[in-house]
Amino acid sequence: LYNLLDSHDTERFRWLCRDKRKHELAVIFQMTLPGCPAIFYGDEVGLEGENDPGCRLAMEWDEGKQNVKLLSLYKRLISIRKSSPSLIKGDYQTLICDDDADVYVFKRRWERETSIVILNAGAKPAHKKIIAHGEWTSLIGDKHVSSEDGELCITAQAYSAEIYQRK
């Protein structure tokens, strides 16, 4: 699979979705899905543009005009993906799909490593329980969670995502 958010033939995703937080969620989704994430030049620094010719704007090389927070997110996600066999070649299973709350949770597993990705595109915090055993480490935040009686209680703030991993 070739996973891209936009290309030279479409509006820039960041321009299209308008809400920058949702763009960041989409990047996390892109980087944790099965397949090969493809980054169209400039997406990593927040380049925007409507359909042709706006989608083909030149790269913004002036670091003062680049979105350094977004670039940092891309770098961190690439590093997480490269160091996580479950995110590169693991199987894929949907755990929660809650349209009313705009929450999606899925699991990727490869050999002994499991990653759980939580995406909350809703305007309210989400509290969910999933079946998961053991100790889990947050790869985006700096927290550890453990399941009690095989249930993992997760909280995702509004417009946020988390990647938990167990090795």
Side-chain angles (χ1 to χ4, degrees), residues 4-18:
L4 57 127
L5 296 177
D6 54 34
S7 74
H8 67 283
D9 287 328
T10 63
E11 296 96 340
R12 293 273 180 167
F13 185 83
R14 191 168 181 84
W15 179 86
L16 191 62
C17 74
R18 306 268 190 248

Side-chain angles (χ1 to χ4, degrees), residues 53-70:
C55 55
R56 299 173 190 240
L57 294 174
M59 177 65 178
E60 180 57 69
W61 292 110
D62 181 349
E63 291 180 10
K65 295 180 181 177
Q66 294 179 350
N67 183 325
V68 293
K69 179 183 173 208
L70 184 61

Side-chain angles (χ1 to χ4, degrees), residues 95-136:
L95 301 177
I96 297 172
C97 184
D98 184 341
D99 289 336
D100 293 332
D102 288 331
V103 173
Y104 185 66
V105 181
F106 63 92
K107 173 172 76 171
R108 304 280 315 271
R109 187 173 50 88
W110 180 258
E111 295 178 353
R112 299 188 63 123
E113 183 183 277
T114 302
S115 296
I116 294 175
V117 179
I118 300 108
L119 301 160
N120 181 3
K124 297 179 182 175
H127 308 284
K128 301 291 182 183
K129 290 183 181 182
I130 56 176
I131 297 172
H133 300 277
E135 297 288 323
W136 295 84

Side-chain angles (χ1 to χ4, degrees), residues 1-163:
L1 299 170
Y2 191 60
N3 302 328
L4 57 127
L5 296 177
D6 54 34
S7 74
H8 67 283
D9 287 328
T10 63
E11 296 96 340
R12 293 273 180 167
F13 185 83
R14 191 168 181 84
W15 179 86
L16 191 62
C17 74
R18 306 268 190 248
D19 190 327
K20 309 315 179 212
R21 299 170 299 181
K22 289 185 178 181
H23 177 228
E24 292 173 8
L25 288 174
V27 173
I28 295 167
F29 192 44
Q30 175 190 30
M31 293 293 172
T32 56
L33 281 172
C36 180
I39 304 167
F40 185 47
Y41 77 91
D43 283 352
E44 73 281 9
V45 295
L47 198 61
E48 297 186 31
E50 57 186 305
N51 210 355
D52 224 357
C55 55
R56 299 173 190 240
L57 294 174
M59 177 65 178
E60 180 57 69
W61 292 110
D62 181 349
E63 291 180 10
K65 295 180 181 177
Q66 294 179 350
N67 183 325
V68 293
K69 179 183 173 208
L70 184 61
L71 179 59
S72 177
L73 176 66
Y74 268 93
K75 287 179 177 182
R76 187 161 188 194
L77 291 168
I78 290 168
S79 176
I80 288 169
R81 183 177 176 90
K82 288 174 72 174
S83 65
S84 303
S86 64
L87 295 177
I88 296 172
K89 49 191 170 185
D91 63 1
Y92 182 93
Q93 179 185 2
T94 297
L95 301 177
I96 297 172
C97 184
D98 184 341
D99 289 336
D100 293 332
D102 288 331
V103 173
Y104 185 66
V105 181
F106 63 92
K107 173 172 76 171
R108 304 280 315 271
R109 187 173 50 88
W110 180 258
E111 295 178 353
R112 299 188 63 123
E113 183 183 277
T114 302
S115 296
I116 294 175
V117 179
I118 300 108
L119 301 160
N120 181 3
K124 297 179 182 175
H127 308 284
K128 301 291 182 183
K129 290 183 181 182
I130 56 176
I131 297 172
H133 300 277
E135 297 288 323
W136 295 84
T137 301
S138 166
L139 300 182
I140 294 180
D142 293 320
K143 53 188 168 187
H144 299 276
V145 294
S146 60
S147 62
E148 296 179 18
D149 301 328
E151 282 190 345
L152 185 64
C153 298
I154 55 173
T155 299
Q157 297 305 315
Y159 303 107
S160 73
E162 187 58 79
I163 304 169

